[in-house]
Amino acid sequence: MKRSTRDKIIDILLLAMAILPFVAAMVLKILTKPAAEGITVTGAQIFFTIPMPLMDLTITESQVNSLAVIISLLGLCLYFTRGLTVVPGSKRQIIAEFIVEKATSFVTGNMGERFANFAPFVAAIMGLSAFSSLSSLLGLYPPTSDINIVAGWAILVFILITYYKLKGGLWNYLKGFGDPIPFFAPFNVISEVATPISMAFRHYGNVLSGVVISTLIAAALQGLSNMLLGWLPGFLGDIPFLQVGLPAVLSLYFDLFSGCLQAFIFAMLTMLYISNGFPEEAYEQRQKAKREKALHHA
């Protein structure tokens, strides 16, 4: 079916919505990045601070880049899901249905049919994590290398884990801390609190280590190139020839493969913690008791 001019304009605007946030983040970094010499491995740049009653709110590079990722993902989702029909009539609808089918089968295969509705949430976590890590390929500071960003995701997941554990009842949840014997209750409490901490530091540490290693190797190759090839005449002696190739290969691993791998691991841990923590037997007993009580009153 032939698309109207209006449809084409909307598609262009949605694609621009997916691209322009990254362009704006790159321009902002170029305009605000302070001059530096040698190796610089620092945290997210602070753009400005908003005074608050209890604690000042700092707006950092990681927050801005994270917002750019969210807006970009929203634009892509709107683009791929716009104009859906019962029978797929476009390539983008086929791609969208493929993503939905794979996400649903991924979730149901790891969590069971009961949690099939978790597919959008898990897909959002993977997309947000992967795009955040891959933003480093554009020269941006990846939000996943900021512990504050990843800790926010882990706290959200921890709230969901606790919510589904409470599906079996508050007493059943509290009693679980005493398994297998009451003596282990303090250790079980520590283990419970350590869940979001371990999820956050695992993701943050792997991404940040990749950034640091890539920066150090690139700087070392530049110094080695100047030492070995600095005798070349003219501007040739200033060109870091040894930096050509190897940093790009490392980037493929640390930025591309490792970033996507960490997104997959974070999503897998989310699914496993929620599904394994769900007390299905206790939940079914509570539902049965509620149904019997409702029938009794009826």
Side-chain angles (χ1 to χ4, degrees), residues 1 10 30 61 67 69 93 95 104 119 147 176 188 215 233 236:
M1 185 176 68
I10 294 176
I30 293 172
E61 191 177 5
L67 180 61
V69 171
Q93 181 171 345
I95 295 174
T104 303
I147 185 61
N188 290 331
T215 302
L236 293 177

Side-chain angles (χ1 to χ4, degrees), residues 284-296:
E284 292 296 342
Q285 290 177 355
R286 290 190 71 200
Q287 293 301 107
K288 183 179 178 181
K290 287 181 179 180
R291 288 192 295 267
E292 291 176 351
K293 185 176 180 181
L295 289 172
H296 177 72

